């Protein structure tokens, strides 16, 4: 069964195994520029978006910020965005091609949104935002919390 913790662990493992990603966080994007969260290399940020249940089937929605620091002259902007898009492709491929024994969720058929960005915090960052809707296979026809 897939839970929020299972999903976060799955994407953290993806980030740990990806050679270009240096860190993973699941939290609000507004902490990206705090002292504890300074980017050191490409970072995968996973944030929660409003989610929904239709006909008893849960669909959890997330935004993934794939980002890296851009130099002051922005000469590496195109490279950072290109690398981020490549990582986005890897992320989506990993979801679609993962082992059904360990992964019980799928991307929603309606597609996935990918947007390039460049944003000034205390430093300039760039990359892409990938919005995904993950459909969990179990319905809401039974309780998943143990009871007596």
């Amino acid at each position: 069964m897939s839970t929020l913790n299972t999903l976060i662990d799955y994407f953290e493992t993806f980030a740990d195994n990806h050679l270009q990603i240096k860190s993973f966080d699941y939290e609000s994007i507004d902490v990206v520029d705090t002292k504890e969260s300074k980017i050191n290399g490409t970072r995968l940020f996973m944030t929660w978006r409003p989610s929904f249940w239709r006909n008893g089937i849960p669909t959890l929605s997330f935004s993934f910020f794939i980002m890296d620091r851009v130099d002051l002259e922005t000469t590496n902007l195109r490279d950072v965005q290109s690398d981020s898009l490549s990582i986005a492709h890897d992320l989506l491929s990993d979801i679609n091609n993962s082992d059904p024994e360990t992964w019980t969720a799928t991307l929603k058929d309606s597609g996935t949104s990918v947007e390039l960005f460049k944003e000034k915090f205390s430093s300039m960052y760039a990359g892409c935002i990938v919005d995904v809707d993950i459909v969990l296979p179990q319905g809401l026809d039974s309780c998943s919390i143990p009871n007596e």
Side-chain angles (χ1 to χ4, degrees):
M1 178 163 117
S2 293
T3 65
L4 179 59
N5 283 331
T6 305
L7 293 171
I8 294 168
D9 290 345
Y10 179 88
F11 292 112
E12 185 169 23
T13 299
F14 168 83
D16 289 345
N17 292 333
H18 197 284
L19 296 178
Q20 287 181 280
I21 299 172
K22 300 302 179 204
S23 66
F24 171 85
D25 283 300
Y26 172 77
E27 53 191 314
S28 175
I29 193 65
D30 53 344
V31 302
V32 81
D33 227 20
T34 63
K35 282 185 179 180
E36 306 85 43
S37 299
K38 290 286 185 189
I39 291 179
N40 187 13
T42 302
R43 177 175 231 175
L44 179 63
F45 242 86
M46 179 181 178
T47 63
W48 176 268
R49 291 188 355 222
S51 300
F52 54 91
W53 274 248
R54 281 212 176 94
N55 300 320
I57 303 296
T59 300
L60 304 183
S61 300
F62 302 97
S63 290
F64 291 93
F65 292 76
I66 303 167
M67 55 198 300
D68 201 348
R69 195 175 308 233
V70 178
D71 58 37
L72 292 175
E73 298 80 30
T74 67
T75 55
N76 66 333
L77 174 63
R78 194 167 69 185
D79 288 335
V80 167
Q81 289 179 329
S82 179
D83 289 349
S84 296
L85 284 172
S86 293
I87 294 169
H89 180 265
D90 294 344
L91 177 69
L92 297 172
S93 294
D94 196 70
I95 295 169
N96 282 329
N97 299 314
S98 59
D99 180 5
E101 293 292 321
T102 57
W103 178 252
T104 59
T106 59
L107 288 175
K108 190 174 175 200
D109 289 337
S110 61
T112 300
S113 166
V114 180
E115 176 185 354
L116 293 176
F117 76 92
K118 178 180 78 169
E119 188 69 40
K120 176 78 170 145
F121 294 93
S122 66
S123 297
M124 184 67 71
Y125 299 103
C128 67
I129 304 166
V130 181
D131 292 333
V132 298
D133 297 318
I134 298 174
V135 180
L136 301 180
Q138 74 272 12
L140 298 178
D141 56 354
S142 65
C143 181
S144 60
I145 299 173
N147 58 26
E148 297 182 337

